[in-house]
Amino acid sequence: METPLRAGLIGAGFIGSVHAHAIRASGARLSRVSDSTPERALEAARRLGAEAAAESAEALIASDDIDVVHICTPNATHADLAERAIAAGKTVICEKPLATSLADADRLVAAADRAGVVTAVPFVYRYYPSVREARALIDAGAAGRLWLLHGSYLQDWLSNSGETNWRVDPSQGGGSRAFGDIGVHWCDLMEFVTGHRITRLMARMSNAHSERPTAEGMKSVGTEDGVTLMFETDRGATGSLVASQVSLGRKNKLWFSFDGTEAAYVFDQENPDSLWVGGANESRILPRGPGGAGSRGEGPDYSFLPAGHPQGYQDCFNAFVADVYAVATGARRDGLPTFTDGRRAAKITEAVIDSAKNESWTEVLA
Ligand code: SOE
């Protein structure tokens, strides 16, 4: 019986609690939790069932009884904490965005390569079996030539102008919000599933609400509520993306249609247990399950519940953490999103910000 890995969790908000569940589901120990104060860390340790509270993030990272560090804090703190964890020789899972600048992301990838540590960024939508099925079908040539890659990622949790969040503040969340927070998920998924790479894009940012509350009263907003994007890829396809956090009634609707000359594949994160396959003479819904979506391809079977027993977001997170831990203990896993993928997201985000500012087509180099 292998000794279970010992995980340290930095940040115990919504996403920190998702990580905590995934850590336990993997069979690892949730050894320590840190939060913004020692008192909040104690409360979080009790709430999340951690073995101990850490005085601070830095103390947690320095602990020699921690093998893996999970960074679940506001975006602007990611780079420094990830750099410390790499220097301490830990396996590092850092929430997206990896960093709020491409320069920081470059620095983290180089540091991780030099240190030889395992790194990951939770682009967890890769772990839906129906997404893996679309990827396997496209890889097998069933789509023909992919020529149009389009979709959206729509939420409404910031629909109320009286609402705010640390992501609204560029100094805490980075220069882009709708794209930097959720548009990056869609682009990661598109490139992961199709193998295409965005080479240039045209972006237009917009706001439903021009002002939001701050400690000093209502202030103009420095990050976008929504972004519309056109792009071209290295294999001759074109595409579009709408990402919004003020689309009423849409809770977490990541949706794509990847259209080929032989078939089209549609995935809807709000109905994720099946894949729609469009054909000239017939279209069908491919349900997840034995012989259905997600039942092919390399590596572990991410379809682990019987058909008709829906798998969801937390299951994706559990599969992602289990794969990171497997790789950290010497196994190989197909499609693990690493800091290299986090850097790719920072690269595309930088291009989106530049394109929106200059109102021009902008190259996305490798
Ligand atoms: C908020 O937009 C959020 O929690 C994102 O930060 C996550 O990455 C996304 O998966 C769900 O929505």
Side-chain angles (χ1 to χ4, degrees):
M1 171 77 171
E2 279 185 20
T3 309
L5 289 175
R6 299 159 300 179
L9 177 67
I10 303 175
F14 154 68
I15 207 66
S17 63
V18 171
H19 280 248
H21 287 298
I23 290 164
R24 269 201 293 278
S26 75
R29 291 167 54 185
L30 177 53
S31 300
R32 294 173 191 274
V33 174
S34 74
D35 209 333
S36 50
T37 65
E39 296 71 25
R40 287 173 64 97
L42 273 171
E43 181 280 328
R46 274 195 297 274
R47 172 165 47 90
L48 299 176
E51 294 168 15
E55 274 294 302
S56 66
E58 292 73 10
L60 181 148
I61 289 169
S63 310
D64 56 14
D65 60 357
I66 293 292
D67 306 305
V68 186
V69 172
H70 291 245
I71 300 169
C72 300
T73 50
N75 301 347
T77 66
H78 290 179
D80 174 60
L81 291 172
E83 196 157 28
R84 290 168 184 267
I86 290 166
K90 311 295 188 186
T91 292
V92 193
I93 297 178
C94 181
E95 265 298 331
K96 31 61 59 190
L98 173 61
T100 52
S101 75
L102 178 58
D104 281 349
D106 279 333
R107 200 174 75 250
L108 291 172
V109 169
D113 288 350
R114 281 194 305 274
V117 296
V118 173
T119 65
V121 175
F123 287 122
V124 293
Y125 298 114
R126 296 184 179 198
Y127 287 84
Y128 275 115
S130 11
V131 167
R132 295 282 172 141
E133 179 67 10
R135 181 171 181 250
L137 288 165
I138 288 168
D139 189 46
R145 178 173 54 80
L146 289 174
W147 70 282
L148 187 62
L149 309 170
H150 56 106
S152 55
Y153 194 161
L154 307 176
Q155 300 176 329
D156 68 3
W157 66 284
L158 278 171
S159 294
N160 180 335
S161 61
E163 288 276 354
T164 193
N165 175 275
W166 54 262
R167 292 178 179 80
V168 175
D169 176 356
S171 67
Q172 291 200 61
S176 164
R177 171 165 39 93
F179 185 82
D181 187 26
I182 59 176
V184 291
H185 271 300
W186 192 93
C187 290
D188 172 77
L189 208 55
M190 183 278 286
E191 295 193 336
F192 174 68
V193 169
T194 67
H196 285 231
R197 305 278 282 181
I198 294 172
T199 52
R200 72 181 195 131
L201 56 81
M202 166 72 92
R204 173 74 166 83
M205 294 180 172
S206 51
N207 279 71
H209 305 303
S210 56
E211 291 191 338
R212 288 186 184 270
T214 71
E216 299 79 39
M218 294 299 278
K219 294 269 187 191
S220 64
V221 176
T223 52
E224 81 281 14
D225 287 333
V227 60
T228 50
L229 192 59
M230 288 190 294
F231 61 84
E232 296 173 355
T233 76
D234 59 342
R235 301 185 188 181
T238 58
S240 67
L241 167 64
V242 174
S244 157
Q245 294 175 323
V246 186
S247 290
L248 277 293
R250 301 302 190 184
K251 303 309 176 185
N252 198 35
K253 193 170 182 69
L254 184 162
W255 182 93
F256 67 65
S257 181
F258 298 155
D259 303 353
T261 50
E262 300 301 322
Y265 299 107
V266 173
F267 170 75
D268 177 357
Q269 202 282 147
E270 290 188 347
N271 180 24
D273 230 32
S274 62
L275 180 71
W276 183 84
V277 181
N281 303 315
E282 65 158 6
S283 297
R284 57 202 173 100
I285 292 174
L286 198 54
R288 179 193 57 77
S295 60
R296 64 172 77 201
E298 302 297 316
D301 188 351
Y302 297 113
S303 175
F304 49 83
L305 290 176
H309 297 68
Q311 291 183 200
Y313 177 79
Q314 185 69 55
D315 296 309
C316 290
F317 237 102
N318 296 355
F320 160 72
V321 168
D323 270 12
V324 178
Y325 288 15
V327 171
T329 49
R332 291 173 57 81
R333 286 292 184 270
D334 173 35
L336 189 77
T338 68
F339 276 18
T340 299
D341 301 292
R343 179 210 170 273
R344 174 69 182 163
K347 180 78 191 164
I348 299 174
T349 302
E350 181 186 74
V352 164
I353 292 170
D354 289 350
S355 173
K357 187 171 66 180
N358 304 323
E359 297 184 350
S360 65
W361 278 94
T362 302
E363 301 298 309
V364 183
L365 307 178

PDB file of all heavy atoms in Angstrom, residues 57-69 80-92 111 115 117:
ATOM      1  N   ALA A  57       0.471  30.922   4.269  1.00  0.00           N
ATOM      2  CA  ALA A  57       0.763  30.176   3.029  1.00  0.00           C
ATOM      3  C   ALA A  57       2.249  29.828   2.982  1.00  0.00           C
ATOM      4  O   ALA A  57       2.637  28.708   2.628  1.00  0.00           O
ATOM      5  CB  ALA A  57       0.373  31.014   1.823  1.00  0.00           C
ATOM      6  N   GLU A  58       3.061  30.799   3.374  1.00  0.00           N
ATOM      7  CA  GLU A  58       4.514  30.571   3.330  1.00  0.00           C
ATOM      8  C   GLU A  58       4.907  29.436   4.280  1.00  0.00           C
ATOM      9  O   GLU A  58       5.729  28.579   3.930  1.00  0.00           O
ATOM     10  CB  GLU A  58       5.255  31.869   3.718  1.00  0.00           C
ATOM     11  CG  GLU A  58       5.110  33.003   2.694  1.00  0.00           C
ATOM     12  CD  GLU A  58       3.724  33.662   2.692  1.00  0.00           C
ATOM     13  OE1 GLU A  58       2.914  33.375   3.633  1.00  0.00           O
ATOM     14  OE2 GLU A  58       3.394  34.396   1.728  1.00  0.00           O
ATOM     15  N   ALA A  59       4.284  29.399   5.455  1.00  0.00           N
ATOM     16  CA  ALA A  59       4.602  28.318   6.413  1.00  0.00           C
ATOM     17  C   ALA A  59       4.153  26.972   5.856  1.00  0.00           C
ATOM     18  O   ALA A  59       4.844  25.957   5.978  1.00  0.00           O
ATOM     19  CB  ALA A  59       3.906  28.608   7.737  1.00  0.00           C
ATOM     20  N   LEU A  60       2.995  26.970   5.215  1.00  0.00           N
ATOM     21  CA  LEU A  60       2.501  25.710   4.619  1.00  0.00           C
ATOM     22  C   LEU A  60       3.483  25.219   3.569  1.00  0.00           C
ATOM     23  O   LEU A  60       3.862  24.042   3.548  1.00  0.00           O
ATOM     24  CB  LEU A  60       1.127  25.956   3.997  1.00  0.00           C
ATOM     25  CG  LEU A  60       0.416  24.773   3.342  1.00  0.00           C
ATOM     26  CD1 LEU A  60      -1.093  24.909   3.499  1.00  0.00           C
ATOM     27  CD2 LEU A  60       0.781  24.620   1.866  1.00  0.00           C
ATOM     28  N   ILE A  61       3.920  26.105   2.688  1.00  0.00           N
ATOM     29  CA  ILE A  61       4.829  25.714   1.595  1.00  0.00           C
ATOM     30  C   ILE A  61       6.149  25.188   2.169  1.00  0.00           C
ATOM     31  O   ILE A  61       6.734  24.229   1.659  1.00  0.00           O
ATOM     32  CB  ILE A  61       5.075  26.910   0.655  1.00  0.00           C
ATOM     33  CG1 ILE A  61       3.806  27.215  -0.153  1.00  0.00           C
ATOM     34  CG2 ILE A  61       6.258  26.637  -0.298  1.00  0.00           C
ATOM     35  CD1 ILE A  61       3.840  28.528  -0.914  1.00  0.00           C
ATOM     36  N   ALA A  62       6.586  25.776   3.271  1.00  0.00           N
ATOM     37  CA  ALA A  62       7.886  25.382   3.867  1.00  0.00           C
ATOM     38  C   ALA A  62       7.786  24.065   4.647  1.00  0.00           C
ATOM     39  O   ALA A  62       8.801  23.446   4.976  1.00  0.00           O
ATOM     40  CB  ALA A  62       8.378  26.493   4.790  1.00  0.00           C
ATOM     41  N   SER A  63       6.543  23.615   4.913  1.00  0.00           N
ATOM     42  CA  SER A  63       6.405  22.391   5.736  1.00  0.00           C
ATOM     43  C   SER A  63       6.986  21.187   4.996  1.00  0.00           C
ATOM     44  O   SER A  63       6.667  20.939   3.829  1.00  0.00           O
ATOM     45  CB  SER A  63       4.919  22.105   6.014  1.00  0.00           C
ATOM     46  OG  SER A  63       4.288  23.257   6.484  1.00  0.00           O
ATOM     47  N   ASP A  64       7.811  20.410   5.719  1.00  0.00           N
ATOM     48  CA  ASP A  64       8.404  19.251   5.020  1.00  0.00           C
ATOM     49  C   ASP A  64       7.455  18.041   5.059  1.00  0.00           C
ATOM     50  O   ASP A  64       7.808  16.971   4.574  1.00  0.00           O
ATOM     51  CB  ASP A  64       9.764  18.898   5.642  1.00  0.00           C
ATOM     52  CG  ASP A  64       9.653  18.643   7.146  1.00  0.00           C
ATOM     53  OD1 ASP A  64       8.499  18.485   7.633  1.00  0.00           O
ATOM     54  OD2 ASP A  64      10.693  18.601   7.827  1.00  0.00           O
ATOM     55  N   ASP A  65       6.268  18.226   5.639  1.00  0.00           N
ATOM     56  CA  ASP A  65       5.297  17.117   5.590  1.00  0.00           C
ATOM     57  C   ASP A  65       4.177  17.416   4.586  1.00  0.00           C
ATOM     58  O   ASP A  65       3.052  16.956   4.734  1.00  0.00           O
ATOM     59  CB  ASP A  65       4.713  16.837   6.981  1.00  0.00           C
ATOM     60  CG  ASP A  65       3.980  18.049   7.551  1.00  0.00           C
ATOM     61  OD1 ASP A  65       3.987  19.107   6.870  1.00  0.00           O
ATOM     62  OD2 ASP A  65       3.388  17.933   8.636  1.00  0.00           O
ATOM     63  N   ILE A  66       4.508  18.230   3.577  1.00  0.00           N
ATOM     64  CA  ILE A  66       3.571  18.516   2.480  1.00  0.00           C
ATOM     65  C   ILE A  66       4.254  18.109   1.170  1.00  0.00           C
ATOM     66  O   ILE A  66       5.392  18.509   0.905  1.00  0.00           O
ATOM     67  CB  ILE A  66       3.239  20.026   2.439  1.00  0.00           C
ATOM     68  CG1 ILE A  66       2.436  20.431   3.685  1.00  0.00           C
ATOM     69  CG2 ILE A  66       2.477  20.378   1.164  1.00  0.00           C
ATOM     70  CD1 ILE A  66       1.046  19.861   3.758  1.00  0.00           C
ATOM     71  N   ASP A  67       3.519  17.302   0.375  1.00  0.00           N
ATOM     72  CA  ASP A  67       4.085  16.863  -0.919  1.00  0.00           C
ATOM     73  C   ASP A  67       3.544  17.703  -2.084  1.00  0.00           C
ATOM     74  O   ASP A  67       4.229  17.933  -3.072  1.00  0.00           O
ATOM     75  CB  ASP A  67       3.709  15.394  -1.185  1.00  0.00           C
ATOM     76  CG  ASP A  67       4.122  14.475  -0.028  1.00  0.00           C
ATOM     77  OD1 ASP A  67       5.326  14.498   0.320  1.00  0.00           O
ATOM     78  OD2 ASP A  67       3.247  13.789   0.547  1.00  0.00           O
ATOM     79  N   VAL A  68       2.261  18.106  -1.947  1.00  0.00           N
ATOM     80  CA  VAL A  68       1.585  18.818  -3.035  1.00  0.00           C
ATOM     81  C   VAL A  68       0.980  20.109  -2.477  1.00  0.00           C
ATOM     82  O   VAL A  68       0.377  20.087  -1.400  1.00  0.00           O
ATOM     83  CB  VAL A  68       0.414  17.972  -3.628  1.00  0.00           C
ATOM     84  CG1 VAL A  68      -0.178  18.663  -4.857  1.00  0.00           C
ATOM     85  CG2 VAL A  68       0.887  16.571  -3.975  1.00  0.00           C
ATOM     86  N   VAL A  69       1.157  21.194  -3.205  1.00  0.00           N
ATOM     87  CA  VAL A  69       0.559  22.473  -2.810  1.00  0.00           C
ATOM     88  C   VAL A  69      -0.531  22.840  -3.806  1.00  0.00           C
ATOM     89  O   VAL A  69      -0.290  22.812  -5.028  1.00  0.00           O
ATOM     90  CB  VAL A  69       1.618  23.593  -2.761  1.00  0.00           C
ATOM     91  CG1 VAL A  69       0.971  24.962  -2.536  1.00  0.00           C
ATOM     92  CG2 VAL A  69       2.644  23.316  -1.661  1.00  0.00           C
ATOM     93  N   ASP A  80       3.718  34.418  -7.158  1.00  0.00           N
ATOM     94  CA  ASP A  80       4.671  34.372  -6.032  1.00  0.00           C
ATOM     95  C   ASP A  80       4.543  33.062  -5.274  1.00  0.00           C
ATOM     96  O   ASP A  80       5.544  32.397  -4.972  1.00  0.00           O
ATOM     97  CB  ASP A  80       4.399  35.555  -5.080  1.00  0.00           C
ATOM     98  CG  ASP A  80       5.261  35.477  -3.826  1.00  0.00           C
ATOM     99  OD1 ASP A  80       6.501  35.490  -3.970  1.00  0.00           O
ATOM    100  OD2 ASP A  80       4.694  35.310  -2.728  1.00  0.00           O
ATOM    101  N   LEU A  81       3.308  32.640  -5.002  1.00  0.00           N
ATOM    102  CA  LEU A  81       3.114  31.394  -4.243  1.00  0.00           C
ATOM    103  C   LEU A  81       3.596  30.183  -5.060  1.00  0.00           C
ATOM    104  O   LEU A  81       4.234  29.271  -4.513  1.00  0.00           O
ATOM    105  CB  LEU A  81       1.644  31.241  -3.866  1.00  0.00           C
ATOM    106  CG  LEU A  81       1.115  32.248  -2.834  1.00  0.00           C
ATOM    107  CD1 LEU A  81      -0.405  32.111  -2.689  1.00  0.00           C
ATOM    108  CD2 LEU A  81       1.802  32.067  -1.484  1.00  0.00           C
ATOM    109  N   ALA A  82       3.321  30.189  -6.354  1.00  0.00           N
ATOM    110  CA  ALA A  82       3.756  29.054  -7.193  1.00  0.00           C
ATOM    111  C   ALA A  82       5.273  28.992  -7.251  1.00  0.00           C
ATOM    112  O   ALA A  82       5.870  27.911  -7.166  1.00  0.00           O
ATOM    113  CB  ALA A  82       3.176  29.184  -8.595  1.00  0.00           C
ATOM    114  N   GLU A  83       5.895  30.167  -7.335  1.00  0.00           N
ATOM    115  CA  GLU A  83       7.371  30.214  -7.387  1.00  0.00           C
ATOM    116  C   GLU A  83       7.962  29.665  -6.093  1.00  0.00           C
ATOM    117  O   GLU A  83       8.908  28.883  -6.098  1.00  0.00           O
ATOM    118  CB  GLU A  83       7.831  31.657  -7.607  1.00  0.00           C
ATOM    119  CG  GLU A  83       9.275  31.772  -8.055  1.00  0.00           C
ATOM    120  CD  GLU A  83       9.544  33.084  -8.782  1.00  0.00           C
ATOM    121  OE1 GLU A  83       8.842  34.085  -8.497  1.00  0.00           O
ATOM    122  OE2 GLU A  83      10.422  33.109  -9.642  1.00  0.00           O
ATOM    123  N   ARG A  84       7.367  30.017  -4.966  1.00  0.00           N
ATOM    124  CA  ARG A  84       7.846  29.501  -3.669  1.00  0.00           C
ATOM    125  C   ARG A  84       7.668  27.981  -3.599  1.00  0.00           C
ATOM    126  O   ARG A  84       8.541  27.252  -3.125  1.00  0.00           O
ATOM    127  CB  ARG A  84       7.080  30.157  -2.512  1.00  0.00           C
ATOM    128  CG  ARG A  84       7.370  31.626  -2.264  1.00  0.00           C
ATOM    129  CD  ARG A  84       6.352  32.204  -1.296  1.00  0.00           C
ATOM    130  NE  ARG A  84       6.539  33.625  -1.098  1.00  0.00           N
ATOM    131  CZ  ARG A  84       7.270  34.146  -0.109  1.00  0.00           C
ATOM    132  NH1 ARG A  84       7.891  33.345   0.743  1.00  0.00           N
ATOM    133  NH2 ARG A  84       7.393  35.456   0.030  1.00  0.00           N
ATOM    134  N   ALA A  85       6.525  27.500  -4.068  1.00  0.00           N
ATOM    135  CA  ALA A  85       6.254  26.057  -3.979  1.00  0.00           C
ATOM    136  C   ALA A  85       7.196  25.271  -4.879  1.00  0.00           C
ATOM    137  O   ALA A  85       7.682  24.192  -4.504  1.00  0.00           O
ATOM    138  CB  ALA A  85       4.789  25.793  -4.349  1.00  0.00           C
ATOM    139  N   ILE A  86       7.493  25.825  -6.062  1.00  0.00           N
ATOM    140  CA  ILE A  86       8.454  25.172  -6.965  1.00  0.00           C
ATOM    141  C   ILE A  86       9.831  25.126  -6.286  1.00  0.00           C
ATOM    142  O   ILE A  86      10.491  24.079  -6.253  1.00  0.00           O
ATOM    143  CB  ILE A  86       8.545  25.931  -8.301  1.00  0.00           C
ATOM    144  CG1 ILE A  86       7.269  25.766  -9.116  1.00  0.00           C
ATOM    145  CG2 ILE A  86       9.767  25.480  -9.099  1.00  0.00           C
ATOM    146  CD1 ILE A  86       7.156  26.740 -10.280  1.00  0.00           C
ATOM    147  N   ALA A  87      10.228  26.253  -5.690  1.00  0.00           N
ATOM    148  CA  ALA A  87      11.553  26.328  -5.036  1.00  0.00           C
ATOM    149  C   ALA A  87      11.638  25.336  -3.871  1.00  0.00           C
ATOM    150  O   ALA A  87      12.709  24.821  -3.558  1.00  0.00           O
ATOM    151  CB  ALA A  87      11.791  27.751  -4.533  1.00  0.00           C
ATOM    152  N   ALA A  88      10.466  25.027  -3.268  1.00  0.00           N
ATOM    153  CA  ALA A  88      10.450  24.067  -2.141  1.00  0.00           C
ATOM    154  C   ALA A  88      10.368  22.630  -2.646  1.00  0.00           C
ATOM    155  O   ALA A  88      10.264  21.682  -1.844  1.00  0.00           O
ATOM    156  CB  ALA A  88       9.254  24.380  -1.232  1.00  0.00           C
ATOM    157  N   GLY A  89      10.349  22.467  -3.981  1.00  0.00           N
ATOM    158  CA  GLY A  89      10.366  21.109  -4.552  1.00  0.00           C
ATOM    159  C   GLY A  89       9.034  20.391  -4.505  1.00  0.00           C
ATOM    160  O   GLY A  89       8.959  19.164  -4.619  1.00  0.00           O
ATOM    161  N   LYS A  90       7.943  21.166  -4.343  1.00  0.00           N
ATOM    162  CA  LYS A  90       6.611  20.536  -4.242  1.00  0.00           C
ATOM    163  C   LYS A  90       6.001  20.308  -5.628  1.00  0.00           C
ATOM    164  O   LYS A  90       6.315  21.038  -6.582  1.00  0.00           O
ATOM    165  CB  LYS A  90       5.660  21.445  -3.450  1.00  0.00           C
ATOM    166  CG  LYS A  90       6.209  21.970  -2.131  1.00  0.00           C
ATOM    167  CD  LYS A  90       6.448  20.871  -1.106  1.00  0.00           C
ATOM    168  CE  LYS A  90       6.804  21.490   0.234  1.00  0.00           C
ATOM    169  NZ  LYS A  90       7.192  20.463   1.243  1.00  0.00           N
ATOM    170  N   THR A  91       5.083  19.367  -5.709  1.00  0.00           N
ATOM    171  CA  THR A  91       4.161  19.306  -6.839  1.00  0.00           C
ATOM    172  C   THR A  91       3.190  20.469  -6.640  1.00  0.00           C
ATOM    173  O   THR A  91       2.739  20.707  -5.515  1.00  0.00           O
ATOM    174  CB  THR A  91       3.394  17.966  -6.837  1.00  0.00           C
ATOM    175  OG1 THR A  91       4.308  16.905  -7.132  1.00  0.00           O
ATOM    176  CG2 THR A  91       2.259  17.973  -7.850  1.00  0.00           C
ATOM    177  N   VAL A  92       2.908  21.216  -7.735  1.00  0.00           N
ATOM    178  CA  VAL A  92       2.114  22.444  -7.584  1.00  0.00           C
ATOM    179  C   VAL A  92       0.888  22.422  -8.493  1.00  0.00           C
ATOM    180  O   VAL A  92       1.026  22.274  -9.711  1.00  0.00           O
ATOM    181  CB  VAL A  92       2.936  23.714  -7.937  1.00  0.00           C
ATOM    182  CG1 VAL A  92       2.199  24.962  -7.461  1.00  0.00           C
ATOM    183  CG2 VAL A  92       4.327  23.649  -7.338  1.00  0.00           C
ATOM    184  N   ALA A 111      11.040  28.008 -14.228  1.00  0.00           N
ATOM    185  CA  ALA A 111      11.445  27.559 -12.876  1.00  0.00           C
ATOM    186  C   ALA A 111      11.030  26.107 -12.654  1.00  0.00           C
ATOM    187  O   ALA A 111      11.786  25.295 -12.107  1.00  0.00           O
ATOM    188  CB  ALA A 111      10.794  28.462 -11.819  1.00  0.00           C
ATOM    189  N   ALA A 115      13.446  22.947 -11.944  1.00  0.00           N
ATOM    190  CA  ALA A 115      13.308  22.189 -10.682  1.00  0.00           C
ATOM    191  C   ALA A 115      12.860  20.749 -10.929  1.00  0.00           C
ATOM    192  O   ALA A 115      12.981  19.891 -10.055  1.00  0.00           O
ATOM    193  CB  ALA A 115      12.302  22.906  -9.772  1.00  0.00           C
ATOM    194  N   VAL A 117       9.793  19.707 -11.186  1.00  0.00           N
ATOM    195  CA  VAL A 117       8.607  19.359 -10.376  1.00  0.00           C
ATOM    196  C   VAL A 117       7.390  19.200 -11.289  1.00  0.00           C
ATOM    197  O   VAL A 117       7.327  19.754 -12.386  1.00  0.00           O
ATOM    198  CB  VAL A 117       8.326  20.441  -9.302  1.00  0.00           C
ATOM    199  CG1 VAL A 117       9.469  20.520  -8.305  1.00  0.00           C
ATOM    200  CG2 VAL A 117       8.032  21.795  -9.922  1.00  0.00           C
TER     201      VAL A 117
END
